[in-house]
Amino acid sequence: MPNIIIRNIPNGITSCNLFCGCIASYMAFQSDFRLAMLFIVLGAVFDFFDGMSARLLKVSSPIGKELDSLADNITFGLAPSAIVFSLFKEIHIPDFMSGVSGCLPYAAFIISVFSALRLAKFNLDERQTTSFIGMPTPANALFWSSLAICIDESHCMSQYFNAFYLLLLVVIMSLLLVSELPMFSLKFKNLTWKDNKIKYIFLAVSVALLLVYAINGLAAVIIWYIILSAFTFKKS
């Protein structure tokens, strides 16, 4: 019995990630973006520790890998789609898009589709052991949750950021998920400046952005991550 419990600890942690993703999706459909973001972040914490616990306990299994992807597509695929769905319901729709205004919110689920493709590619791609090819799904989910809070709380931004720009962002961010753009990971093999210069620069600027803009700055942090990866991937 103890062995069965130990073997299923990582799967239990993964299930907590899935549970958080379900709650985040519900909160997003209710336009409670702060709570949606909270449960996405909690899901990301569980996502980090399930793999770590599997390695520490030496109990990794094929079912754990599959369950992890399924959970991730809810927390980092469906939840951000629900966030964008709610944003489309609230955001200004320009006159030239009025004819498709009823269909626009459903474009949000493009994020879920591309997140699933991203996760499937990641499971099969042996190049992504120490870095990423394409944007990680947690980064995408954090971008949308932070952006939603920013739009929801900033009336000034809401006046200028309409449904056309939101749709354009959905397409761009979805394509980044399955792109061939190499992106660095925050895994540290050591703490030397020489081997981790890009990561330290990223973290320093990210902390500055968060100190100035708080959680609203997370969207800017993800944009910074994309830009830095694009310009430094040959070095990282």
Side-chain angles (χ1 to χ4, degrees):
M1 184 64 71
N3 287 337
I4 294 176
I5 294 174
I6 291 173
R7 285 203 305 269
N8 284 285
I9 286 175
N11 292 341
I13 298 174
T14 303
S15 297
C16 290
N17 172 18
L18 176 57
F19 185 71
C20 289
C22 292
I23 298 176
S25 299
Y26 173 78
M27 293 300 173
F29 281 126
Q30 301 300 311
S31 296
D32 193 336
F33 300 126
R34 282 186 173 271
L35 272 179
M37 182 179 192
L38 172 63
F39 281 99
I40 287 173
V41 171
L42 283 175
V45 171
F46 285 122
D47 184 48
F48 175 80
F49 282 107
D50 63 0
M52 177 182 288
S53 64
R55 289 188 292 271
L56 288 174
L57 297 172
K58 298 180 180 179
V59 291
S60 59
S61 65
I63 192 173
K65 186 177 182 180
E66 298 301 324
L67 181 61
D68 184 67
S69 293
L70 292 170
D72 285 354
N73 199 39
I74 297 298
T75 306
F76 311 127
L78 178 60
S81 287
I83 287 171
V84 177
F85 182 90
S86 294
L87 282 178
F88 270 121
K89 291 283 190 177
E90 299 176 4
I91 205 166
H92 172 68
I93 298 176
D95 292 338
F96 71 91
M97 300 182 78
S98 60
V100 294
S101 59
C103 302
L104 271 177
Y106 298 98
F109 296 105
I110 293 172
I111 297 169
S112 294
V113 174
F114 277 83
S115 295
L117 289 171
R118 155 74 193 170
L119 291 164
K121 285 183 64 178
F122 179 80
N123 286 344
L124 299 174
D125 195 341
E126 296 179 354
R127 298 173 296 170
Q128 302 190 57
T129 53
T130 58
S131 61
F132 301 112
I133 305 295
M135 185 167 57
T137 52
N140 185 54
L142 290 174
F143 169 81
W144 286 113
S145 56
S146 176
L147 182 68
I149 294 172
C150 189
I151 292 173
D152 192 49
E153 297 181 353
S154 172
H155 299 295
C156 178
M157 185 174 182
S158 299
Q159 293 175 8
Y160 300 102
F161 190 82
N162 60 42
F164 173 75
Y165 299 115
L166 183 59
L167 180 61
L168 187 62
L169 260 182
V170 167
V171 173
I172 292 172
M173 299 300 282
S174 296
L175 291 176
L176 278 173
L177 286 168
V178 295
S179 71
E180 287 294 306
L181 175 66
M183 305 186 79
F184 62 89
S185 107
L186 289 176
K187 294 178 181 177
F188 288 83
K189 291 183 178 179
N190 57 62
L191 298 177
T192 63
W193 168 260
K194 180 180 179 181
D195 294 335
N196 301 289
K197 179 170 63 174
I198 301 304
K199 297 171 187 177
Y200 283 133
I201 292 172
F202 168 74
L203 289 173
V205 175
S206 297
V207 168
L209 288 169
L210 292 174
L211 286 174
V212 174
Y213 299 107
I215 61 172
N216 291 349
L218 263 178
V221 168
I222 302 304
I223 296 297
W224 164 234
Y225 173 58
I226 295 168
I227 293 172
L228 190 60
S229 293
F231 282 95
T232 63
F233 67 87
K234 290 182 180 178
K235 298 177 183 179
S236 59

